[in-house]
Amino acid sequence: MALHRGPKIITDGLVLCLDAAHKKSYSGSGDTWTDLVGGVELTKEGSPTWSSNGYFSGGDGDRYIQETTSMGIVLTTQVTLCVWYRKTGAGFSTNQRIVEVWGGDTSSSGHVLNVNSASGDTEMWLNDNGNSTNSRFITTTTDDTFADDVWHYMVGTYSSPALNIYMDGNLNKTGSTAVTTALDDINSISVGAYSEGNYYMDGDIAVIQIYNRAISAAEVQQNFNAHKSRFGL
């Protein structure tokens, strides 16, 4: 199945792709947002609004999209999370979830992309159930403000122990950590909110991509170039 017309995104290792502009991902009506790779279906909750320009908008309580059954997606010591997003308001909490992926042995193991509405920082968290409560959240925070009502392409890559955040095709910040718990079988993906129903994002989300490996800097740039004109960049 074609994931994108025109410049191509990287498909090697791609295990999930949601694109609100692709008719086979979202038809323009209904409650289901469908993954273009394996057909995983995420269900809308609340009243997120779809734009014919190819994105979902929402606010407190009404842009919560998740899937909570086994998906057959395995993420071990490598992962890449990518999202096209636009932060449009002050929001409803300081930490606003863009996308969360949970699984492994317990629901305490997961990976998160987050935007901080107070500072404008964006973050990638590795929540590792194999560590103690005080240390299992491992955070890399960008150096600039990205809560500015402009579309951005955020990518978080992890290949033990290297943790990188890219913004708009460019490496922004690096970190180093070790995660001991693999996400053996993804059982929850939440877009636009915390999986338990808070930390809602006030803004727009258009594309989510998940890879089972850490894509390279050149591949991040290729993905950014593939979509940037769509978002006026």
Side-chain angles (χ1 to χ4, degrees):
M1 177 184 294
L3 299 179
H4 181 69
R5 295 179 177 86
K8 297 184 182 299
I9 67 168
I10 299 298
T11 58
D12 180 20
L14 185 66
V15 294
L16 183 136
C17 181
L18 299 163
D19 188 339
H22 198 302
K23 292 298 184 182
K24 291 184 178 180
S25 185
Y26 187 72
S27 66
S29 63
D31 295 331
T32 302
W33 195 5
T34 303
D35 159 42
L36 291 166
V37 178
V40 171
E41 294 183 345
L42 279 70
T43 302
K44 296 192 296 182
E45 295 185 5
S47 303
T49 302
W50 178 77
S51 166
S52 59
N53 290 322
Y55 59 86
F56 287 101
S57 299
D60 193 10
D62 62 13
R63 65 173 344 279
Y64 181 58
I65 307 170
Q66 70 170 0
E67 207 285 341
T68 55
T69 60
S70 176
M71 304 175 203
I73 297 174
V74 176
L75 303 174
T76 55
T77 58
Q78 294 194 38
V79 62
T80 299
L81 303 182
C82 316
V83 62
W84 277 97
Y85 80 96
R86 176 171 60 183
K87 186 76 177 60
T88 58
F92 314 98
S93 65
T94 299
N95 291 311
Q96 296 182 43
R97 299 295 196 261
I98 303 174
V99 60
E100 293 188 343
V101 181
W102 297 96
D105 295 332
T106 74
S107 61
S108 296
S109 300
H111 305 326
V112 178
L113 294 183
N114 185 77
V115 60
N116 186 305
S117 64
S119 64
D121 292 340
T122 53
E123 305 157 335
M124 183 176 182
W125 296 5
L126 303 181
N127 186 1
D128 182 9
N129 190 55
N131 290 332
S132 68
T133 301
N134 291 331
S135 63
R136 67 188 182 192
F137 286 98
I138 304 143
T139 306
T140 297
T141 305
T142 61
D143 301 318
D144 304 301
T145 297
F146 295 102
D148 54 2
D149 200 19
V150 173
W151 283 103
H152 293 290
Y153 184 56
M154 179 185 180
V155 177
T157 70
Y158 178 69
S159 179
S160 184
L163 179 64
N164 297 319
I165 283 183
Y166 298 82
M167 296 300 298
D168 301 332
N170 299 308
L171 180 64
N172 184 278
K173 196 168 183 181
T174 64
S176 179
T177 188
V179 172
T180 62
T181 305
L183 300 192
D184 297 324
D185 188 4
I186 300 301
N187 54 37
S188 177
I189 297 176
S190 179
V191 177
Y194 179 42
S195 57
E196 295 185 3
N198 52 14
Y199 302 137
Y200 293 96
M201 181 183 164
D202 189 11
D204 307 323
I205 297 176
V207 177
I208 302 287
Q209 298 151 344
I210 301 176
Y211 293 83
N212 62 9
R213 65 183 182 88
I215 66 175
S216 69
E219 290 173 321
V220 171
Q221 186 69 53
Q222 180 173 329
N223 279 4
F224 173 71
N225 289 339
H227 285 105
K228 66 180 182 180
S229 62
R230 168 176 161 185
F231 299 102
L233 300 176

